[in-house]
Amino acid sequence: MTVLNSPAVSELDDAARAVERAGEGLQRACTTLARRGDDVRALRAAVRSAARLTRALATAVDGIVDHVPRSVVRAETADDLVADLKALRNCLATGAAVADPALDDLRDLTLSDPEGEFARSYQEWAAASTSAGS
């Protein structure tokens, strides 16, 4: 039985909202890129938004994993499902990390404050890695 106001439910709702916001950001960035396809800033924003969405999805999958033991009665099925979802989460986290070198390449072309952007990117990565590493 799941209590509706439990911390696990609240965290999962927060993750879902983060995915929704990141998805909306990606949609806006892609729309801008489609209109201004020769703009390196629009390209960078689209890549950054895709990485942010991927990180948010990794966090959401991590939250879903927490619900498997309460939702799946058969232990062996639950164990397999947890393993599959953790593999998915790890692929998503790795995918987001793969975007970082592309963003580094684009950063030098678009920013006047590369150090500040690096600090922000590192904080995003660290937050996603901490959530995904559990």
Side-chain angles (χ1 to χ4, degrees):
M1 177 170 132
T2 302
V3 178
L4 289 180
N5 291 322
S6 72
V9 171
S10 176
E11 289 170 14
L12 196 54
D13 286 341
D14 291 345
R17 281 190 290 279
V19 168
E20 186 175 348
R21 283 190 308 272
E24 291 167 355
L26 178 60
Q27 185 174 14
R28 284 190 304 273
C30 288
T31 299
T32 301
L33 181 60
R35 280 188 303 221
R36 301 184 326 205
D38 61 344
D39 183 350
V40 71
R41 289 181 192 277
L43 175 61
R44 184 170 186 276
V47 172
R48 185 176 54 234
S49 293
R52 187 172 289 135
L53 177 57
T54 305
R55 287 183 183 97
L57 286 168
T59 301
V61 170
D62 213 27
I64 292 167
V65 167
D66 293 338
H67 290 272
V68 170
R70 291 186 299 264
S71 302
V72 178
V73 178
R74 293 182 57 205
E76 69 183 39
T77 302
D79 291 345
D80 287 346
L81 183 56
V82 165
D84 292 342
L85 289 171
K86 284 184 176 185
L88 173 60
R89 187 252 347 257
N90 290 338
C91 288
L92 288 163
T94 300
V98 170
D100 290 339
L103 289 170
D104 288 343
D105 293 341
L106 292 167
R107 180 183 57 218
D108 295 336
L109 300 173
T110 59
L111 289 180
S112 58
D113 180 20
E115 290 82 17
E117 179 62 20
F118 174 79
R120 283 186 293 280
S121 294
Y122 178 79
Q123 288 172 346
E124 276 186 27
W125 173 84
S129 295
T130 300
S131 295
S134 60

